[in-house]
Amino acid sequence: MRAVRLSVVTAAATAAALTAVTGCTEKSDAKGDAHGAVSVVAKDDSCEVSKKEFPAGHLELAVENKGSKVTEVYILFPDDRIVTERENIGPGTKAKITAEVKAGDYEIACKPGMKGDGIRQKVKVTGGTTAKRSPEMDAAVAAYRQYVQTQADETLPKVKVFTDAVRAGNIEAAKKAYADSRIGWERTEPVAESFGDIDPKVDVREDGLEAGQDPAKDWTGWHRLEKALWQDKKIGDREKQLADTLDKDLADWVKRVGKAEITPTSMANGAKELLDEVASGKVTGEEERYSHTDLVDFKANVEGAQKSFELLKPVASKNDPKLVAELDKQFAALNTLLDKYRADKTTYVFTPYDQVGKEQQKELSDGVNALGEPLSKLAAAVVK
């Protein structure tokens, strides 16, 4: 689950935010990049973009956080779907974001403090052409879409085992089926944002609800049922209704895979973003705070990110063989580390996360960070 999401804002609020930012553009620090990247300077009260119009194809954002808060930067479709994002950009640090964009209207948003709807700038992508893709790139996208479709198709019967147990009021059977029902979803999270509103429907935590949402009415999905099973220790009529809703939402997800916007850069960026989420949610134990099945999610996330990398490897190997070698090394190291907590390599039975000590959690965190740094360079290597 993406820890923080952008919500749809009213046109008036967006216009007001854009007017406030536009008023500062004469003093903008965003001066463009020597290599043709669009510069984005994020501050606590502004999001300064060096260009408001650029050609279709591969877009690179050179982001610098000059504010005092950790920030996020997004490229958004007009309906708030996410083209790509980069989270956890600390004060005084820089980041490069590479994306593939078609002609049309978009917004670039900075989110100081990683809260709220962000400060947005409207931008336009012109030209009828899209980014040039090699046959290897097309093959990678097609293979990844098939991988995602397979994971989605295989998830539905596993979820039905879980939701049938909930509907039957069988707490122990539901607990037993819970983690297994989530593996396919967790493997496909590198492109979760391409499925529209499915992610917040099925995988949001209570603290991830939008302002004004009522947990009693608006919180749906796996984690709401997780809380009922492990903390509340009861299944009532509401939980049985939520089981039906989860089945319905995931069936919708399966149908959306074929229409999802998937590109080589979204595969690469999504893998990096997912590692960031692992670092901020799984390693800390926040994701599965009631069931403590975090390591199951963790392993599935790494598998999904690695699948994206493996499919992009033929392209990246030509452009940056040293990066590919480093990624091979770090994926292997993290998988070896995770397997220390696994009953055996043929099952998804992992040590409950509340039984993993602080030193071991630190070791896992270091492993994620060691992989995340080179993985942040994969998108750029793919489009060189």
Side-chain angles (χ1 to χ4, degrees):
M1 184 220 59
R2 297 283 187 257
V4 182
R5 303 186 196 333
L6 286 166
S7 62
V8 178
V9 296
T10 64
T14 303
L18 290 169
T19 300
V21 174
T22 304
C24 300
T25 54
E26 290 183 3
K27 298 179 181 180
S28 173
D29 290 331
K31 301 182 184 302
D33 183 274
H35 302 289
V38 175
S39 291
V40 178
V41 175
K43 298 181 180 179
D44 293 346
D45 58 358
S46 65
C47 184
E48 301 167 1
V49 180
S50 64
K51 298 178 183 178
K52 300 294 182 64
E53 188 171 308
F54 27 82
H58 290 125
L59 168 66
E60 184 177 274
L61 300 184
V63 180
E64 182 174 7
N65 183 2
K66 290 190 175 183
S68 63
K69 304 173 182 178
V70 176
T71 195
E72 300 169 341
V73 173
Y74 293 75
I75 302 174
L76 298 166
F77 289 107
D79 61 0
D80 262 23
R81 285 179 300 124
I82 297 172
V83 178
T84 194
E85 64 183 300
R86 180 61 53 83
E87 301 178 352
N88 298 305
I89 305 172
T93 63
K94 298 180 181 181
K96 288 287 183 73
I97 307 172
T98 303
E100 184 175 317
V101 290
K102 299 177 181 179
D105 295 322
Y106 298 83
E107 287 183 334
I108 293 175
C110 306
K111 189 187 287 191
M114 301 196 297
K115 295 181 179 179
D117 295 310
I119 303 165
R120 304 185 179 201
Q121 289 279 20
K122 290 183 178 180
V123 297
K124 181 180 289 291
V125 176
T126 60
T129 59
T130 58
K132 292 182 180 180
R133 286 191 195 168
S134 65
E136 291 92 343
M137 284 188 182
D138 285 335
V141 170
Y144 191 71
R145 189 183 299 278
Q146 183 56 54
Y147 171 76
V148 173
Q149 188 69 65
T150 298
Q151 294 302 316
D153 291 341
E154 292 177 353
T155 293
L156 290 189
K158 293 181 179 180
V159 169
K160 190 172 186 301
V161 173
F162 171 62
T163 54
D164 279 350
V166 173
R167 282 185 286 265
N170 191 330
I171 291 178
E172 292 307 313
K175 284 182 175 181
K176 185 177 179 180
Y178 172 77
D180 191 50
S181 76
R182 290 175 49 72
I183 292 172
W185 171 264
E186 294 292 330
R187 284 175 176 159
T188 65
E189 280 212 294
V191 289
E193 302 293 358
S194 67
F195 306 133
D197 61 354
I198 298 298
D199 190 7
K201 285 182 176 180
V202 304
D203 200 29
V204 72
R205 303 193 304 258
E206 184 172 10
D207 53 1
L209 293 172
E210 301 290 352
Q213 287 188 305
D214 181 354
K217 298 178 181 179
D218 302 318
W219 187 17
T220 60
W222 272 296
H223 294 302
R224 168 63 178 80
L225 291 169
E226 178 202 7
K227 180 176 183 290
L229 294 171
W230 273 273
Q231 179 169 295
D232 302 337
K233 296 179 171 56
K234 64 180 182 180
I235 296 174
D237 291 341
R238 176 57 177 162
E239 286 71 35
K240 294 176 182 180
Q241 293 171 358
L242 289 169
D244 292 341
T245 301
L246 182 60
D247 284 338
K248 179 181 177 181
D249 288 337
L250 289 172
D252 187 14
W253 166 50
V254 170
K255 295 176 183 177
R256 294 192 192 192
V257 171
K259 301 175 183 178
E261 189 81 19
I262 299 175
T263 67
T265 54
S266 73
M267 290 167 59
N269 287 328
K272 163 58 178 170
E273 290 154 15
L274 187 53
L275 262 290
D276 288 343
E277 183 192 324
V278 169
S280 63
K282 273 74 171 184
V283 172
T284 61
E286 294 176 44
E287 179 80 358
E288 304 289 358
R289 61 190 64 175
Y290 310 110
S291 65
H292 305 299
T293 56
D294 303 84
L295 289 176
V296 177
D297 291 0
F298 194 151
K299 179 65 174 178
N301 286 164
V302 172
E303 288 177 340
Q306 189 166 8
K307 183 68 173 182
S308 179
F309 163 59
E310 292 290 345
L311 291 173
L312 294 171
K313 189 186 290 189
V315 178
S317 294
K318 295 178 182 178
N319 297 333
D320 197 336
K322 289 183 178 180
L323 176 66
V324 168
E326 180 64 15
L327 285 167
D328 279 332
K329 174 185 173 182
Q330 296 300 338
F331 268 116
L334 186 54
N335 279 310
T336 297
L337 186 57
L338 280 167
D339 285 343
K340 290 169 57 177
Y341 303 94
R342 197 174 187 180
D344 65 74
K345 293 185 179 181
T346 64
T347 68
Y348 265 73
V349 179
F350 283 84
T351 302
Y353 204 61
D354 58 345
Q355 297 177 23
V356 177
K358 294 296 182 183
E359 289 185 7
Q360 288 73 33
Q361 290 181 23
K362 175 64 164 54
E363 187 180 27
L364 288 165
S365 178
D366 289 345
V368 171
N369 292 333
L371 173 58
E373 193 280 326
L375 197 57
S376 69
K377 302 174 183 177
L378 181 59
V382 167
V383 301
K384 276 186 178 177

